[in-house]
Amino acid sequence: MDDLGERLSRLEDERAIMETLYRYGDALDHGDRDEFLDCFTPDAEYEVRMRLDSSNGFTFEGPEQLGAYFDGHTHAPAAFHKHVTVNPLITIDGSAADAQSYFLRVDSPNAGPAVVLAAGRYVDRLERGEDGRWRIRSRSCEVENL
């Protein structure tokens, strides 16, 4: 029975981690600042690297800088885009986890047809908080085209 309980706990953790990954994009796309910031630990680091231009990357640390990133980003209804996260590969070690996933950012520029504006990979380190929620401690966003 212990084995079954451990397997169930692991599945619940994986599902909760995926929910955090999905909530990030939904909050960013629809302008929910509080939900966006709640995807991260208070000491989170977020690095964006451009594969085609490595000099064009940037890093955010902590809620103030992450909030400024959010505030400078477009949101519906001013701009309709979708951050799509797929193929999450998750490894859990106690109250910490590593996740790798692919992302697409789909935009409809000038109300025209939807196009893939950016694609790449997220490499995340997550932590389970005292409240039981999984949050991103560090994220490396590797943008492959933009």
Side-chain angles (χ1 to χ4, degrees), residues 46-144:
Y46 187 161
E47 173 190 31
V48 178
R49 295 182 297 161
M50 308 294 180
R51 182 177 64 88
L52 298 178
D53 182 3
S54 61
S55 67
N56 196 19
F58 42 92
T59 302
F60 304 104
E61 296 179 7
E64 187 174 307
Q65 289 183 9
L66 285 166
Y69 166 67
F70 177 89
D71 294 342
H73 203 287
T74 56
H75 317 283
F80 288 97
H81 45 65
K82 300 293 179 270
H83 286 77
V84 181
T85 304
V86 297
N87 297 354
L89 301 173
I90 300 168
T91 304
I92 300 170
D93 184 14
S95 61
D98 294 307
Q100 294 182 45
S101 53
Y102 295 130
F103 73 86
L104 299 171
R105 178 173 158 181
V106 181
D107 281 59
S108 296
N110 304 316
V115 297
V116 174
L117 177 72
R121 179 174 79 143
Y122 293 131
V123 179
D124 298 319
R125 179 73 172 171
L126 297 99
E127 295 177 356
R128 182 180 23 230
E130 291 181 15
D131 62 357
R133 287 202 46 189
W134 286 91
R135 290 179 177 83
I136 300 166
R137 166 63 184 90
S138 66
R139 168 166 274 190
S140 177
C141 176
E142 301 169 349
V143 182
E144 295 180 7

Side-chain angles (χ1 to χ4, degrees), residues 21-34:
L21 301 179
Y22 299 152
R23 280 187 10 238
Y24 164 88
D26 187 69
L28 190 56
D29 292 337
H30 296 284
D32 190 334
R33 189 178 201 272
D34 291 338

